[in-house]
Amino acid sequence: MTAPRLLRGLRGATTCADNSADAIREAVAELVDALMDQNALDPEQLVSVTFSVTSDLDASFPAAAARHRSGWEDVALLDVQQMVVQEDLARCIRLLAHAWIPADRQLHHPYLRAAARLRPDRSGHN
């Protein structure tokens, strides 16, 4: 018997080497690959992904990089600017994804690169 699917929220974050379109695309690809692989997700399970970026990242939109992924045509994507907080992690991209996931599956929230310090309790799955 297959476990019922629940709409679940997944979090994750990473950092960029610099504020360039190439660095943002690379960081987004790595973060999304980790999210999909660690949670054994197929694109059709995704409902939406919101990307937030710190104010020092303005060279491109993270959602634009994700939008070109195979199977992501129907995923609702959104970019927002992260709230500015003193001493926040520089050049950080965070995500919140909503996906239909079997109820019995453990969730993995990827925190990559320097973003691992944001959630040391979650960064062991990188």
Side-chain angles (χ1 to χ4, degrees):
M1 182 176 192
T2 305
R5 290 186 178 200
L6 301 174
L7 184 60
R8 309 284 301 271
L10 296 160
R11 293 275 300 139
T14 191
T15 54
C16 291
D18 56 57
N19 181 30
S20 69
D22 287 341
I24 291 170
R25 277 192 299 274
E26 177 186 311
V28 168
E30 181 181 36
L31 180 58
V32 169
D33 285 347
L35 178 80
M36 300 300 284
D37 293 346
Q38 291 176 12
N39 290 287
L41 293 174
D42 293 319
E44 64 268 7
Q45 291 174 261
L46 290 173
V47 175
S48 64
V49 180
T50 300
F51 294 94
S52 69
V53 297
T54 49
S55 61
D56 53 2
L57 289 177
D58 61 5
S60 73
F61 294 104
R67 187 168 289 113
H68 298 291
R69 297 177 69 89
S70 177
W72 283 55
E73 299 82 13
D74 295 325
V75 179
L77 301 171
L78 178 67
D79 290 307
V80 298
Q81 188 174 60
Q82 182 71 26
M83 188 176 113
V84 178
V85 175
Q86 291 180 3
E87 299 181 28
D88 191 13
L89 186 59
R91 296 182 310 276
C92 186
I93 300 172
R94 293 170 171 91
L95 68 73
L96 171 62
H98 293 95
W100 292 104
I101 300 175
D104 59 354
R105 185 176 298 165
Q106 181 179 357
L107 301 180
H108 300 282
H109 307 272
Y111 285 80
L112 310 176
R113 302 180 186 187
R117 78 177 180 111
L118 296 172
R119 292 297 306 264
D121 59 320
R122 305 274 185 173
S123 61
H125 295 288
N126 298 344

